[in-house]
Amino acid sequence: VKKRGVNVPGLDALISHNRAYANETSNQHYLVRTFSQLSIAARPHDPEWAIAIASESLEWDNTDEYNWTALAQALWTSGYRAGKVGDRVAARNRCLEAMDLLWSAKRRFPWFDYARNELARLHRDAGDFRTAEALYREMMVDFPNDVACRCGLARVFERQGRVAEAETLYRELSKRFLDNTYWRTGLAEIFFHRSANNHDVKEREKARALFQEAADLNDRYAPLRLNGFDERWERLASRQSSIAAAERETDETVQLTQPTPDEMHPAQRLGRALLFQWQARRSESAGEGERLFAEAE
């Protein structure tokens, strides 16, 4: 399914077999794990099919945290695709539904770092950098050894043009997470684009080396960046293409106006209020703290 999509021999039989077993035994363990993994694999090919199978999995077991994330990811991809073809209403509805699901998951499964990282990523891809940054910073406190939230925060900095802050954070991660690929590719992108802008060959080679290290660690994104590396660098250096930071493989950016509190589902409204309170208690500015408390209220 991951390679070829949902039109593969035996898939319908596999799904029917899982349903029959779950109905006969009342044991949904295998169905839930199979369906959520199928949804994740099918999402890039057919997000609507992924939504259907993830929804069924969630109906079978709403206590499995991965079901919530799989469905939210499929909904977001569906919204992203709708936006690409100009259907703004469908894009907004699908994407807000995905966010609401993950706000609910954050409340239900506060220890589940994967769902919380996904929630922050969706806000980042929607251009809501303020909320994304707050979610990532909260995770950095709750999960001191989670590298994903720290790399996610660096991506927020990059998207806002705060490249120096992103580079500082990536360098800090390089000292703590030696075998991680995400800080390598993030730092490599900064080196790549800056070296093309400044015609700095030494920094270009630093970028190449970091991409190669990531590829050697089995990162899926790095080989794509190594392919045609010199040609792309030359085009950037000669201003034949944009020197803006490249979109990552996982980016599904959507132009999304944020809902008002009255438009939010209860989980998102409560989640944001608690997040503002968390920020207010840690604010170094009394005025900013009061503003955040007022917003939370």
Side-chain angles (χ1 to χ4, degrees):
V1 170
K2 187 174 183 179
K3 292 180 179 179
R4 298 169 53 190
V6 298
N7 297 317
V8 294
L11 180 58
D12 290 339
L14 174 67
I15 291 172
S16 297
H17 176 74
N18 274 272
R19 287 182 182 135
Y21 179 84
N23 282 313
E24 182 70 22
T25 65
S26 298
N27 178 3
Q28 73 270 21
H29 174 86
Y30 300 105
L31 179 148
V32 165
R33 276 144 189 80
T34 300
F35 281 21
S36 63
Q37 290 298 312
L38 282 173
S39 174
I40 292 168
R43 178 170 60 93
H45 302 282
D46 190 339
E48 301 307 317
W49 189 93
I51 289 171
I53 204 77
S55 297
E56 184 175 351
S57 184
L58 186 60
E59 288 176 6
W60 275 98
D61 186 2
N62 66 4
T63 66
D64 187 292
E65 54 266 37
Y66 284 99
N67 281 336
W68 294 76
T69 311
L71 179 55
Q73 289 173 329
L75 285 165
W76 187 267
T77 298
S78 174
Y80 171 72
R81 300 275 179 87
K84 283 289 188 182
V85 298
D87 190 344
R88 295 183 179 180
V89 174
R92 178 178 169 80
N93 290 342
R94 287 294 204 193
C95 290
L96 290 181
E97 190 177 353
M99 285 179 169
D100 283 327
L101 268 175
L102 290 179
W103 278 109
S104 296
K106 180 179 185 292
R107 184 70 173 159
R108 280 173 168 257
F109 315 107
W111 63 88
F112 188 42
D113 57 340
Y114 183 61
R116 290 174 63 176
N117 268 306
E118 280 298 286
L119 176 60
R121 180 183 71 84
L122 297 193
H123 281 280
R124 185 190 75 207
D125 283 354
D128 183 5
F129 301 127
R130 177 196 179 202
T131 303
E133 180 173 345
L135 286 164
Y136 282 131
R137 289 192 182 280
E138 183 187 45
M139 282 195 68
M140 290 170 67
V141 174
D142 292 346
F143 302 96
N145 295 315
D146 184 273
V147 66
C149 64
R150 289 159 172 81
C151 288
L153 179 60
R155 287 288 291 131
V156 170
F157 292 158
E158 288 182 78
R159 292 281 299 277
Q160 293 179 295
R162 298 157 64 183
V163 179
E165 292 176 77
E167 182 176 351
T168 298
L169 184 50
Y170 284 136
R171 289 184 181 277
E172 290 173 359
L173 297 178
S174 71
K175 300 172 185 176
R176 292 187 55 198
F177 304 96
L178 300 181
D179 295 331
N180 183 263
T181 63
Y182 295 111
W183 67 259
R184 282 180 167 85
T185 56
L187 191 55
E189 286 291 356
I190 291 176
F191 289 163
F192 181 86
H193 288 86
R194 188 165 63 206
S195 67
N197 191 34
N198 299 332
H199 299 270
D200 187 333
V201 176
K202 289 184 178 180
E203 196 162 61
R204 179 193 67 187
E205 294 310 308
K206 288 182 182 179
R208 190 199 307 272
L210 284 169
F211 280 131
Q212 187 60 60
E213 287 179 17
D216 293 341
L217 290 168
N218 298 317
D219 182 86
R220 294 180 302 166
Y221 171 73
L224 299 175
R225 304 303 286 160
L226 286 168
N227 185 29
F229 181 95
D230 291 311
E231 292 82 357
R232 287 187 298 104
W233 191 89
E234 290 293 343
R235 288 199 303 272
L236 289 173
S238 61
R239 300 298 192 272
Q240 293 179 22
S241 59
S242 170
I243 63 170
E247 293 293 316
R248 299 294 196 272
E249 183 183 19
T250 55
D251 281 351
E252 292 180 326
T253 56
V254 178
Q255 294 297 322
L256 190 66
T257 56
Q258 292 302 309
T260 65
D262 288 342
E263 294 173 326
M264 294 176 190
H265 289 177
Q268 181 170 175
R269 192 181 306 122
L270 175 60
R272 284 176 177 271
L274 292 171
L275 187 65
F276 292 147
Q277 287 185 337
W278 182 89
Q279 288 180 283
R281 286 191 288 269
R282 287 159 179 78
S283 175
E284 296 179 356
S285 164
E288 176 68 5
E290 290 179 5
R291 187 189 67 76
L292 286 165
F293 274 127
E295 193 166 358
E297 185 178 357

